[in-house]
Amino acid sequence: MKPTSLYLPSTFEERGTAAPFTTPMFALSRVRPDERQGLVLLLPSFGGTDGAYVVPWSAVQEIGGMSTHDRALHEEILAVKATSPDMMRAAAFKVAMTGLAGPAAAEAAKKAVDEDRKKIEETHILLILALLTSSGMTTQELMQTNPETDEWRVKTKAMLEKAAKEYGIEIDQIYHRIGELSQTLAPVGLAISRQEARLRQLLQGLGEFRQSISEWGEADLSEMADFAIYAAAVADLTLDMAGTMFRKLDTGVQDIGLVVREWPTQGPLAKHLASRLSWLLDGWQFIIELWRSLADQPVDEQRDGVGNLMRVLPLIPRNESADDDEDAKKRQELFQRKRLQAHIDWRTGKYDVELVSRIEQIKAKAVA
Amino acid sequence: MSGLDKKGGIDNTVAAVLDLERPLEFISEEKFREVAKLLEAVHEQPGVQQILDHVRPRLVKLRPGRKPNLQRLFYMPLEDLLVGETASPDNGMLPRHLPALVWRYIAQTGDAEALKQLDVALKRTGTGDHEAHRKIAKRLWPLASAVLVDLVASPGHAKGMLGREVGLIEELNETAALLQAADAIDALKQELPPPPIRSLSDEQMGSIRRTIVDNAKGDADLVYVMALIVMVRMAKRADFLESIMGMTLGLSGADKPLVYARLSRLVMTEVTDRARQLSATDKGNLVGLADNARNLVTGLVAAEKALKNDPRARHQLSEMRKTAEKTVTQVVDNAKGTVVAAISVGPDAPLESLIETENSILALRKCQTFAGHIGLDKAVTGALGGIVGEVRDKANKLFASIGHKGGHQPDRAEVEQEMYWAVRMTELAGNPDDADKIRRQGMKALA
């Protein structure tokens, strides 16, 4: 076992999935299953120290003045047991679409749901084309046919039947496997088809965040400078890990024919890698948007912002990184040396309509 | 290279910078750092200072590794006070071109040998060796101070040096005092957190008092510049003014009100700027108006407290208060009108209208935080209460229609949409607890 920070989680699952609450105190708290409580909320420390409070799910609404959006999301998370980033995304969209986080967040959620659906359909088509190409068939004719027509479906079916025979499996199995794979790969994007997707695009935002906050940290004169540089280092490590995971996944699904043919081993592997990427990048979009929202703000608000994002920084769990524990050590040293002064307004349990409104705007942008 | 060639080269550099295809604020960081270095090297040339002033925000942000020079060390005690204006700001701030003028005078008339020695010593230090720079600065400041004390002792001489800038004579005197107190100012800056400082502890205030008393020794000009340097770093300057002038600073009974009056000019400038900002805000931007009105009112309240014994300031502040009251009254009326109209339409309004309605309520909530200071708390609370009441009535009618037997049963999706809209409006104008009651009541009715 590696030497570790006392407070660093072991796995992504232990870190929990980020819940997009709009009440400042709960913003980006994390949810994870718990044997005794069913679910628990990991509430970032607001005492200026490292670590998080573990709150039983039933007690969450009692500890602070939650917005109605958060009360509804709290109930929805319990109802669907949203303990993974993908499930949380679906639960968050369902609640946001009610308008409880404002019309902009509702509109953004509707668009995102629509985009997600379109991306799955697009990935489905790309996977079929890749599979046929992998089986040595020419897809030129298919490419010139509208995928929403019966003509496309008939032609595709005929070609897939041919492929199924070659693989020694039923055509239904091919449809099923392609269907599952398109759900898995839609958020990631299919590199062989140069398809951009949500998580791959997030890396660009994360790279910009790393650069921007690192420059800010180098220029700032306050004690928040060290925290900013630390946040940049965590972003850097996340980018490194994401790069490795993307390469592995892209290599793994390079030959779609092989993945479909050897589904019992290749299918779970692709799902596992895509899921790890989803967990790794969980919570970053909000942080990137939070930092962007501070770009034109006075320096004291930017310093508060660094304090706020430090509380919810998605740290890499101990067992998920192949690196040594430099990251954990740095964090421990940092918190031992300096007490993090997060803005008092973000720590109070009192409902503050202005702060909630700011978080709602960030939330709307984070899914846009 | 001859002087002419050199000048030609410099002109070309400046011309090249001015001719850049993209403004300096938008070129890449790498290019910006290069350009900044070039400009630093020719900073005394005409036009360069204006370019540097223009890109200063980015310059500060990116801080290209700047080569130290004696002029920059000379600026250290003054740097918190430098502003881009050209005329006298008449509030203690210093137009940036004045220290440049003063430095030229020092370089021409000061102890050339001593300055040369300091320059040689400085060139031996590394760009990032701030401690070594500070040590050299501490040797430079007394030299510069001696030249300036002589200069300001003779008003005719001082005016002659200023030439066309004679309107900055008061700022020249202040610069002389700042150089005299440079060591103490440096100590104060080392001890204080970086600006803007939100608050100071009793210990920090005590330490500031001791530094001022020990170093100014009752000299009103020195007390003024030291207090000014701290005040300019504070987020709430009026509050600091009140605290610091409540302390014994070794001033005589006659000097104390004079120092207080000089410091208060900065507070007045700040409040006046806020009033100007409010007047310039787009009248359709209710959230912006509410933000700027709050900014003005909080500044006014603090300034009124700090300047309660200054009749002229009190009169000016009272006029600004009237402006704030008028603006907030307009915000309340407009916001109320927008929301009342929106309630009759409900959630079917286009997205822009829904956002405008929410912004109107948000503006009212912002006004609620300071309305008590300008006697408008009842108007704001009444407007918000009216919104909550109307939405409540609408929700009650909606829920009643669901349970109504025999009549037309409304579409479930539409009812949900209406319900969530009512919840949202109630939360914004009221509170989440009342809003959640409507949500639960609606869910029960729909069950």
Side-chain angles (χ1 to χ4, degrees):
Chain A
M1 186 134 164
K2 300 171 190 175
T4 55
S5 160
L6 187 61
Y7 303 105
L8 213 55
S10 311
T11 60
F12 285 129
E13 287 78 1
E14 195 187 317
R15 184 175 81 175
T17 184
F21 289 122
T22 57
T23 313
M25 183 182 176
F26 296 99
L28 241 62
S29 297
R30 287 179 176 268
V31 180
R32 74 167 183 230
D34 181 83
E35 268 181 34
R36 280 189 304 162
Q37 309 286 347
L39 290 179
V40 287
L41 185 76
L42 304 168
L43 190 65
S45 158
F46 35 79
T49 52
D50 203 357
Y53 299 103
V54 181
V55 185
W57 202 249
S58 56
V60 169
Q61 291 199 23
E62 290 163 26
I63 58 171
M66 269 188 156
S67 63
T68 39
H69 165 272
D70 289 359
R71 296 176 200 208
L73 181 59
H74 176 249
E75 289 162 16
E76 181 65 19
I77 290 169
L78 180 68
V80 298
K81 295 276 183 297
T83 52
S84 73
D86 292 344
M87 290 169 84
M88 184 62 76
R89 188 172 160 85
F93 285 161
K94 187 178 170 192
V95 177
M97 281 193 288
T98 62
L100 287 177
E107 187 67 13
K110 279 175 204 159
K111 274 190 184 160
V113 168
D114 202 35
E115 286 295 317
D116 283 358
R117 184 185 50 75
K118 281 185 190 155
K119 191 59 82 179
I120 291 171
E121 288 169 6
E122 180 189 293
T123 311
H124 196 268
I125 293 167
L126 291 172
L127 284 171
I128 287 176
L129 293 174
L131 175 88
L132 296 174
T133 308
S134 155
S135 308
M137 286 180 251
T138 172
T139 54
Q140 193 65 30
E141 202 184 336
L142 273 183
M143 302 264 267
Q144 284 157 0
T145 313
N146 182 351
E148 285 174 15
T149 58
D150 281 340
E151 186 190 355
W152 198 88
R153 277 185 279 274
V154 171
K155 280 182 186 170
T156 312
K157 194 178 176 190
M159 292 169 92
L160 286 176
E161 266 171 354
K162 215 169 141 191
K165 265 187 197 158
E166 192 192 321
Y167 295 164
I169 56 176
E170 296 294 318
I171 189 169
D172 284 351
Q173 282 177 300
I174 290 194
Y175 276 126
H176 176 75
R177 289 170 190 183
I178 290 285
E180 273 198 48
L181 202 53
S182 51
Q183 297 265 1
T184 300
L185 297 179
V188 181
L190 200 58
I192 44 167
S193 303
R194 296 171 193 225
Q195 185 197 29
E196 277 301 328
R198 180 168 58 86
L199 293 178
R200 218 179 283 268
Q201 280 164 345
L202 181 58
L203 293 192
Q204 196 186 334
L206 188 53
E208 285 164 8
F209 167 83
R210 174 191 56 183
Q211 183 71 15
S212 165
I213 201 162
S214 159
E215 278 173 9
W216 186 92
E218 277 162 26
D220 189 63
L221 303 169
S222 75
E223 58 179 10
M224 298 316 289
D226 283 352
F227 287 106
I229 287 166
Y230 176 80
V234 174
D236 201 33
L237 181 61
T238 307
L239 277 166
D240 271 359
M241 281 183 67
T244 309
M245 286 185 188
F246 268 113
R247 276 190 296 279
K248 265 190 195 170
L249 180 60
D250 291 343
T251 310
V253 296
Q254 204 167 16
D255 184 348
I256 298 299
L258 179 81
V259 178
V260 170
R261 215 166 45 234
E262 294 177 19
W263 184 253
T265 53
Q266 297 297 313
L269 190 63
K271 278 185 194 171
H272 172 76
L273 285 169
S275 155
R276 293 290 93 185
L277 268 166
S278 186
W279 275 105
L280 174 70
L281 298 171
D282 182 35
W284 274 109
Q285 190 67 62
F286 181 91
I287 286 172
I288 292 166
E289 291 301 337
L290 170 63
W291 184 242
R292 278 184 189 149
S293 76
L294 293 166
D296 299 326
Q297 298 301 311
V299 69
D300 51 338
E301 289 201 19
Q302 292 178 340
R303 286 174 189 154
D304 286 341
V306 171
N308 289 329
L309 68 84
M310 273 302 288
R311 291 176 61 233
V312 294
L313 207 57
L315 300 175
I316 310 284
R318 295 189 305 249
N319 300 346
E320 302 286 353
S321 166
D323 284 6
D324 58 17
D325 285 305
E326 276 309 304
D327 178 49
K329 279 181 210 153
K330 266 190 225 160
R331 183 177 165 86
Q332 228 177 354
E333 280 168 19
L334 196 60
F335 276 92
Q336 274 166 3
R337 245 180 325 124
K338 291 176 178 174
R339 197 169 174 82
L340 180 61
Q341 290 294 324
H343 198 302
I344 191 81
D345 292 348
W346 280 61
R347 289 181 277 158
T348 173
K350 206 176 149 197
Y351 174 79
D352 181 330
V353 69
E354 289 184 46
L355 277 177
V356 170
S357 167
R358 270 182 56 197
I359 294 176
E360 285 171 354
Q361 285 173 27
I362 296 169
K363 179 184 165 80
K365 284 188 181 146
V367 294
Chain B
M1 187 188 273
S2 72
L4 188 66
D5 286 339
K6 196 178 170 190
K7 176 96 175 27
I10 289 162
D11 285 349
N12 288 343
T13 307
V14 176
V17 169
L18 291 171
D19 278 353
L20 276 174
E21 203 174 306
R22 302 179 71 196
L24 273 177
E25 303 94 297
F26 303 112
I27 61 172
S28 72
E29 278 169 19
E30 195 186 349
K31 262 209 176 102
F32 183 82
R33 284 180 215 273
E34 279 174 30
V35 173
K37 266 187 196 164
L38 278 174
L39 289 172
E40 286 292 333
V42 297
H43 70 280
E44 282 177 359
Q45 295 307 310
V48 174
Q49 197 55 51
Q50 282 94 316
I51 301 173
L52 285 170
D53 285 348
H54 182 66
V55 296
R56 194 156 304 281
R58 196 170 186 204
L59 207 56
V60 170
K61 197 176 161 202
L62 296 181
R63 274 201 197 156
R66 298 165 87 190
K67 212 173 149 193
N69 59 41
L70 288 184
Q71 186 175 359
R72 190 157 304 123
L73 300 189
F74 165 73
Y75 279 25
M76 281 167 68
L78 325 171
E79 58 194 6
D80 284 322
L81 302 173
L82 299 181
V83 289
E85 290 155 44
T86 49
S88 165
D90 195 25
N91 59 11
M93 303 306 275
L94 303 171
R96 196 173 288 279
H97 67 284
L98 175 67
L101 196 66
V102 174
W103 173 250
R104 267 206 293 279
Y105 177 79
I106 291 167
Q108 282 162 7
T109 60
D111 182 340
E113 187 50 39
L115 288 174
K116 196 178 166 191
Q117 280 177 15
L118 290 177
D119 195 37
V120 169
L122 185 59
K123 284 195 170 109
R124 285 199 202 111
T125 64
T127 309
D129 190 353
H130 302 302
E131 215 31 64
H133 301 161
R134 176 170 287 109
K135 277 183 188 160
I136 294 168
K138 280 174 183 284
R139 286 162 61 197
L140 171 68
W141 295 332
L143 283 175
S145 176
V147 175
L148 288 180
V149 166
D150 280 352
L151 177 68
V152 297
S154 158
H157 195 179
K159 284 179 185 168
M161 188 283 280
L162 286 169
R164 283 186 307 169
E165 305 295 345
V166 71
L168 299 177
I169 189 79
E170 199 185 323
E171 283 77 9
L172 178 65
N173 288 327
E174 185 185 323
T175 306
L178 283 160
L179 262 298
Q180 237 181 307
D183 263 341
I185 287 171
D186 186 57
L188 278 172
K189 281 159 71 172
Q190 292 301 309
E191 205 169 311
L192 293 173
I197 305 168
R198 282 202 172 126
S199 62
L200 290 167
S201 65
D202 289 347
E203 277 172 34
Q204 285 169 316
M205 282 301 287
S207 165
I208 291 166
R209 189 194 68 81
R210 276 193 302 280
T211 307
I212 293 177
V213 171
D214 293 350
N215 290 280
K217 295 189 170 54
D219 183 315
D221 285 337
L222 297 185
V223 170
Y224 167 67
V225 291
M226 283 192 249
L228 180 67
I229 283 289
V230 183
M231 189 164 93
V232 85
R233 295 183 145 226
M234 297 300 298
K236 293 178 180 172
R237 293 172 181 173
D239 290 350
F240 172 75
L241 176 63
E242 202 195 359
S243 308
I244 195 75
M245 294 314 288
M247 291 179 163
T248 314
L249 298 172
L251 286 169
S252 69
D255 281 340
K256 195 165 181 177
L258 293 177
V259 170
Y260 201 116
R262 284 178 80 184
L263 288 169
S264 68
R265 283 187 293 185
L266 186 61
V267 172
M268 282 304 290
T269 306
E270 198 177 50
V271 182
T272 310
D273 283 348
R274 291 180 185 191
R276 205 173 293 133
Q277 203 180 0
L278 176 61
S279 303
T281 311
D282 172 14
K283 296 290 173 275
N285 177 6
L286 296 185
V287 171
L289 282 171
D291 275 332
N292 289 335
R294 176 163 58 192
N295 210 12
L296 172 59
V297 170
T298 47
L300 275 173
V301 170
E304 282 167 347
K305 209 171 149 202
L307 306 175
K308 56 181 180 284
N309 297 321
D310 181 341
R312 194 164 151 252
R314 267 200 346 249
H315 174 71
Q316 283 176 304
L317 293 169
S318 159
E319 290 302 308
M320 286 187 250
R321 181 175 267 273
K322 283 179 196 159
T323 309
E325 284 168 13
K326 200 175 150 195
T327 307
V328 174
T329 305
Q330 282 168 354
V331 170
V332 174
D333 288 346
N334 290 347
K336 209 164 114 182
T338 304
V339 180
V340 167
I343 289 173
S344 62
V345 182
D348 292 332
L351 180 65
E352 293 75 27
S353 305
L354 291 172
I355 292 172
E356 193 192 352
T357 306
E358 293 216 344
N359 282 341
S360 298
I361 303 178
L362 192 60
L364 285 171
R365 292 298 297 260
K366 282 175 186 266
C367 290
Q368 196 179 25
T369 61
F370 66 89
H373 291 299
I374 48 172
L376 290 172
D377 41 344
K378 278 188 185 160
V380 177
T381 311
L384 287 166
I387 294 167
V388 172
E390 283 197 43
V391 171
R392 177 83 245 181
D393 287 347
K394 203 171 174 180
N396 284 342
K397 280 179 195 155
L398 175 73
F399 300 149
S401 74
I402 304 169
H404 189 68
K405 283 180 184 164
H408 166 72
Q409 285 297 308
D411 177 67
R412 188 187 169 90
E414 277 176 26
V415 172
E416 275 188 0
Q417 199 189 2
E418 289 273 349
M419 175 195 74
Y420 284 124
W421 175 85
V423 171
R424 175 72 178 168
M425 292 291 108
T426 306
E427 174 169 82
L428 286 179
N431 61 69
D433 287 341
D434 288 345
D436 206 40
K437 276 181 199 154
I438 297 181
R439 183 173 73 99
R440 294 193 182 283
Q441 195 187 343
M443 280 159 50
K444 203 172 159 190
L446 282 165

